[in-house]
Amino acid sequence: MKKMTSAQAAKELKRLNDLHTALLEKERKACVFTAAIQEDTELARPEYDYAGTQAILRTFESRIIQLKHSINLFNTTYVIPEFNKTIDQMLVYIPQLTARKKKLEKMAGRLPKERLSSGYSRSSNFIEYMYCNYDVEEIKRDLEATAKELAAAQMVLDKVNSTVEFDVDI
């Protein structure tokens, strides 16, 4: 049993995945080889230990599974007090806030009345306008509150990821 933060666990997970990928690539290159008919195939044969390679790959896979499981358990059980949400809930909430913020930015950037350039043509004497069906100032206030909420959520999650330790069974 080992203690880690989410940030440390993520780095270890990346390291294990990189080692696994590198070994798979090495295996891909060594498990078959080409030799000319006049060559001594034993001299051309690269070093390759099938059973040993599979054992190492299974070890990496087992450690990756255990580490991911520990991270998932932590994410589903640790409650962030400031938001009364678990980390996995925060990982859904933050993209929702981001999407809301983008929508509000677009709405806040509109003029209350905008002339549509495509609405005027040579065959028509009509000029069309698009009107906001909402209070732009209310949207701006909501945008500011959403931006603050998003920043606070990101900051608290960053803090938890870098300071709160949990048990990892690897």
Side-chain angles (χ1 to χ4, degrees):
M1 198 67 71
K2 185 176 181 181
K3 292 268 190 195
M4 287 186 168
T5 64
S6 290
Q8 291 167 328
K11 285 178 178 53
E12 178 64 9
L13 186 60
K14 181 178 180 350
R15 186 185 77 79
L16 289 171
N17 278 313
D18 288 348
L19 288 171
H20 185 266
T21 299
L23 185 55
L24 283 174
E25 181 60 19
K26 183 177 177 182
E27 179 183 44
R28 185 190 65 76
K29 291 177 181 176
C31 72
V32 295
F33 68 99
T34 305
I37 197 146
Q38 65 271 25
E39 273 186 286
D40 180 351
T41 55
E42 291 311 310
L43 291 175
R45 182 182 308 276
E47 276 190 42
Y48 175 62
D49 173 12
Y50 172 76
T53 300
Q54 301 321 299
I56 295 169
L57 286 170
R58 282 192 291 277
T59 299
F60 284 143
E61 291 161 359
S62 177
R63 291 178 73 193
I64 289 167
I65 288 168
Q66 283 305 119
L67 184 54
K68 277 295 284 178
H69 180 66
S70 296
I71 293 168
N72 289 340
L73 281 176
F74 178 67
N75 286 350
T76 58
T77 58
Y78 184 84
V79 176
I80 296 174
E82 297 89 336
F83 286 84
N84 196 31
K85 289 179 177 26
T86 60
I87 293 171
D88 72 318
Q89 290 172 322
M90 291 294 286
L91 294 173
V92 174
Y93 185 52
I94 287 173
Q96 289 174 336
L97 285 173
T98 301
R100 182 182 309 154
K101 182 177 173 256
K102 286 180 183 178
K103 176 191 79 167
L104 292 171
E105 285 171 338
K106 186 174 179 180
M107 291 175 76
R110 286 207 167 106
L111 297 173
K113 174 182 171 182
E114 292 181 50
R115 183 176 176 170
L116 296 177
S117 58
S118 63
Y120 182 76
S121 67
R122 290 177 231 195
S123 63
S124 172
N125 289 332
F126 295 108
I127 299 172
E128 290 183 315
Y129 289 89
M130 179 173 53
Y131 297 87
C132 287
N133 198 18
Y134 53 85
D135 179 358
V136 175
E137 291 307 312
E138 181 182 4
I139 297 297
K140 288 179 181 178
R141 288 189 299 275
D142 198 16
L143 172 59
E144 184 178 336
T146 300
K148 283 181 183 176
E149 177 89 356
L150 176 58
Q154 291 168 329
M155 292 297 287
V156 75
L157 190 57
D158 287 347
K159 182 180 178 184
V160 167
N161 284 338
S162 62
T163 61
V164 179
E165 291 184 326
F166 58 94
D167 290 329
V168 177
D169 188 21
I170 57 170

